[in-house]
Each structure stands twice: as C-alpha cells, then as structure tokens.
Amino acid sequence: EVQLVESGGGTVQPGGSLRLSCAASGFTFGSYHMTWVRQAPGKGLEWVSSITPASADTYYLDSVKGRFTISRDNAKNTLYLQLNSLKTEDTAMYHCTRGSRVNWDAADARGQGTLVTISS
C-alpha cells in the first residue's frame, strides 16, 4: 500500500522557518518524481514545488522561489520542503504527492497533509 505521511507543520511568525517532511512507503520512492502542493483556507489546491527522482532538477512556484527549497533523501524514502522567510499568504495545508509537476493535479497518491500557519 502506497503511503505518504507529512510532518513538521506548525505556527510561526512572519519571517520564520519550518522544515516539512514526507515519509514514503509502499513503492520504490527513488524512481518517482515527487511534488508538494498546498491548500489555503477556502481555496483550491496549488502546486508549490517538484523534484526529479535523482534530485537533478527542482521546480518552484514563482511566489516561493528563493524562500522554499525542496529536497529528498532516497535512502530514507523521505521528501523535504524547507520553508524560509514565511509570509501570511503561505498559510495552508501542505501535502506531498507522488508525481511530477506536469500532472500534479492528477497525482495518484497524496498524504493527509501538515498544517502551516503564519501568524503574528
């Protein structure tokens, strides 16, 4: 069974940082593109960032470029998202998904999410 379990969310002040993790199991993690998406309160899903299987390429939503960093450890079957210089508009439930940025909204596996709240 494919499982994706996110952790690391919390409440921080504007300008703060968080590191999200996504533990993957039930499939060959290192063979798949992986993606982070988010859903702000009352809004639809939004693609945030993607990474290729061997970490050769990374992709970011324009509004998070320079602030967020996606990475992965294939030996640990874990995907990460480092969030720096957080803004109130980054408040959302963050989910990891299996798949590339091309068809991110049709991913065949998505975790339950971890909540990130930016508040002063």
Side-chain angles (χ1 to χ4, degrees), residues 1-109:
E1 178 188 4
V2 173
Q3 285 197 320
L4 298 169
V5 180
E6 302 91 339
S7 61
T11 300
V12 298
Q13 293 184 337
S17 298
L18 286 170
R19 189 192 196 201
L20 309 184
S21 298
C22 170
S25 61
F27 65 102
T28 306
F29 178 74
S31 296
Y32 285 84
H33 295 245
M34 294 296 294
T35 290
W36 286 98
V37 300
R38 66 185 181 186
Q39 187 165 23
K43 297 188 176 180
L45 275 175
E46 177 181 49
W47 172 80
V48 176
S49 182
S50 296
I51 188 168
T52 52
S55 305
D57 295 295
T58 57
Y59 307 90
Y60 297 95
L61 179 69
D62 282 348
S63 62
V64 308
K65 280 181 183 176
R67 301 190 297 120
F68 291 8
T69 303
I70 190 171
S71 63
R72 64 192 296 164
D73 186 334
N74 288 344
K76 295 183 178 180
N77 291 343
T78 303
L79 178 71
Y80 302 101
L81 188 67
Q82 178 69 41
L83 287 63
N84 296 331
S85 303
L86 284 161
K87 305 176 181 180
T88 54
E89 53 263 44
D90 295 319
T91 293
M93 185 72 79
Y94 285 71
H95 303 265
C96 63
T97 70
R98 185 173 74 170
S100 74
R101 75 192 194 286
V102 174
N103 58 350
W104 67 270
D105 54 347
D108 62 359

